[in-house]
Amino acid sequence: MATVAFKTLDQLQPAGKKVLLRADLNVPVNGGQITDATRLLRLLPTIQELAQKGARVIVVSHFDRPKGKRVPEMSLAPIADALGDALGRPVTFADDCIGPVAQAAVDAMQDGDVVVLENTRFHAGEEANDPDLAKSLASLADFYVNDAFSAAHRAHASTEGVARHLPSFAGRLMETELNALNIALENPERPVGAIIGGAKISTKLDLIGNLLEKVQVLIIGGAMANTFLAAQGVKVGRSLQEGEMHDTARAILAKAKEKGCEVILPVDAVTATEFKANVPTRVVGIDAIPDDAMILDVGPQTVRDLCAKIAMLKTLVWNGPLGAFEIAPFDAGTNAVAQEVGRLTQEGRLKSIAGGGDTVSALRHAGVTKDISYISTAGGAFLEWLEGKTLPGIMALESVFERALPI
Ligand code: 3PG
Ligand code: MG
């Protein structure tokens, strides 16, 4: 999407003021334990800065998908505790994000205090972007700060509607995310490349279409590559692929040619007859996939070719693993390329920007998260950005909404 002019915390004097902070506390939880606290940790600079400047910080967020009802397992109470632990200071929790309960919690605040309000999606008006819910949220505060880039693709009351009623600012995490994405696609050092992996072309059509316009090299991996190969007559055996997408795949390749975008597909593959840990595997050229085998990872020659190609790039956007990295040894191709991307980045030769659920797990698995220039906390929002879509949560921060509507 085009660059949006937004205000940051540099333009906000929050001392003694109530700030409604839209965070994304939608962290992955398994058996009551947070399995990845990245989103909480990335939020700390904004909360700390606001609290240190004497704001009363009212944190709102969704958590999971309760669909407009109170679902006790989707309460933000335990996440509020985890946020308090991460901040190293007490955080109060209020059992509702609007109404008397929320108002009482806000009324009891002192400058520098932090309150977390209950899951906004317990109200049906959140996802419906109900103006009354937006007004009720806005009535709690003097300012709105949105630090939830990862929820900015949702036009919900707490991400979009509320910005119509309060002077609005981007938090530090939002600012960092937008700057990183800007460096990647709007204003990049060329040549720019993208690695796009994952299972299905059908879910990434818009993304590929947008990237063809922006990048000089498009590396396609994952099961998606099988569809492109099969569409060109390569026999892919029992590999996962989308037979009904062959025409589309050929059209994408033709468009890439027309745009001067080089598309790189695997030249060899690691195959097996079963997708299980440590099954016997065979490395074969892409034109020699056995009928009973499945392609489960890119092969060693492909890895060498990709590393050589990436070494010639200045900017790389990465979304989607190259192979079925969840199960060894099919993680080898993704690991090797990730380590090379990390090395080139650390040597100052490459800017690398990665995002999307699986991608972050794959890079963590490869042990390179610290070596990548920027890893987005966003899943869907990162994809929609790569698709060139306008993200409503970001548009709402555009200063045009300064003509704030009355609460
Ligand atoms: C995410 O986890 O991608 C964001 O928090 C948005 O959640 P959603 O997909 O449930 O809207
Ligand atoms: Mg999601």
Side-chain angles (χ1 to χ4, degrees):
M1 65 180 277
T3 313
V4 169
F6 53 85
K7 291 188 181 152
T8 71
L9 297 192
D10 294 333
Q11 278 97 43
L12 175 62
Q13 269 110 42
K17 302 289 186 190
K18 290 170 286 182
V19 173
L20 189 77
L21 174 63
R22 190 12 165 128
D24 189 353
L25 302 180
N26 191 27
V27 288
V29 172
N30 196 349
Q33 296 297 312
I34 296 175
T35 54
D36 180 355
T38 310
R39 281 184 179 171
L40 290 191
L41 300 176
R42 297 268 196 100
L43 189 63
L44 300 184
T46 298
I47 298 183
Q48 277 155 347
E49 181 174 344
L50 288 170
Q52 268 157 23
K53 287 179 172 169
R56 303 175 181 204
V57 188
I58 307 159
V59 182
V60 286
S61 175
H62 73 287
F63 179 57
D64 213 328
R65 293 175 176 173
K67 298 267 166 246
K69 293 199 181 64
R70 255 181 199 272
V71 179
E73 307 79 65
M74 295 181 194
S75 171
L76 274 175
I79 315 292
D81 285 343
L83 182 64
D85 292 345
L87 277 169
R89 55 179 298 159
V91 162
T92 317
F93 179 73
D95 198 28
D96 200 349
C97 68
I98 52 165
V101 173
Q103 192 60 57
V106 170
D107 289 346
M109 293 177 90
Q110 308 284 317
D111 294 354
D113 279 355
V114 181
V115 159
V116 173
L117 306 182
E118 184 57 290
N119 195 342
T120 50
R121 288 189 186 169
F122 283 181
H123 293 271
E126 164 71 331
E127 295 194 53
N129 200 359
D130 173 25
D132 289 335
L133 181 61
K135 274 190 213 172
S136 301
L137 287 167
S139 71
L140 297 171
D142 305 301
F143 297 115
Y144 173 66
V145 172
N146 189 349
D147 219 16
F149 173 75
S150 48
H153 57 319
R154 308 295 182 207
H156 293 174
S158 70
T159 59
E160 202 270 351
V162 68
R164 296 165 183 264
H165 301 283
L166 290 173
S168 301
F169 301 79
R172 294 298 180 201
L173 174 56
M174 174 71 90
E175 192 186 343
T176 310
E177 294 265 12
L178 293 176
N179 286 342
L181 288 168
N182 208 34
I183 286 169
L185 282 187
E186 303 308 327
N187 222 342
E189 247 190 281
R190 285 163 202 274
V192 190
I195 300 179
I196 300 301
K200 293 183 168 179
I201 298 184
S202 45
T203 57
K204 295 205 177 167
L205 269 180
D206 290 346
L207 184 150
I208 296 172
N210 187 46
L211 288 177
L212 288 182
E213 312 268 347
K214 307 235 173 197
V215 307
Q216 289 76 59
V217 176
L218 183 62
I219 295 166
I220 298 180
M224 193 190 298
N226 304 338
T227 306
F228 279 95
L229 292 166
Q232 295 177 95
V234 174
K235 294 204 167 60
V236 297
R238 290 171 43 238
S239 305
L240 197 62
Q241 64 119 349
E242 293 166 282
E244 71 289 355
M245 294 302 288
H246 287 186
D247 286 345
T248 308
R250 284 189 289 264
I252 289 171
L253 293 171
K255 183 168 175 214
K257 202 167 196 175
E258 182 193 310
K259 299 272 170 198
C261 170
E262 182 186 2
V263 176
I264 303 185
L265 289 163
V267 294
D268 61 350
V270 180
T271 66
T273 52
E274 285 178 285
F275 180 40
K276 272 208 238 154
N278 302 313
V279 290
T281 61
R282 268 179 74 190
V283 173
V284 291
I286 213 66
D287 51 2
I289 308 291
D291 285 344
D292 63 344
M294 291 179 281
I295 300 172
L296 292 167
D297 194 11
V298 293
Q301 185 58 48
T302 304
V303 169
R304 282 191 290 274
D305 292 353
L306 294 184
C307 289
K309 186 54 81 174
I310 292 167
M312 291 159 59
L313 301 174
K314 288 266 191 287
T315 307
L316 178 74
V317 180
W318 191 337
N319 175 262
L322 293 172
F325 79 99
E326 302 89 343
I327 294 185
F330 309 112
D331 54 346
T334 303
N335 287 347
V337 173
Q339 278 149 15
E340 180 65 1
V341 169
R343 193 182 68 81
L344 291 166
T345 306
Q346 288 306 307
E347 284 180 4
R349 294 162 59 187
L350 182 70
K351 286 222 167 57
S352 48
I353 295 93
D358 268 8
T359 320
V360 181
S361 326
L363 295 178
R364 186 172 299 122
H365 178 77
V368 300
T369 45
K370 283 198 300 297
D371 302 329
I372 305 298
S373 311
Y374 191 75
I375 298 190
S376 176
T377 57
F382 184 80
L383 290 181
E384 290 199 20
W385 176 284
L386 292 189
E387 288 168 4
K389 296 212 170 110
T390 297
L391 306 189
I394 295 164
M395 281 311 290
L397 294 179
E398 180 128 59
S399 322
V400 64
F401 285 119
E402 276 298 281
R403 53 181 158 76
L405 304 173
I407 294 169

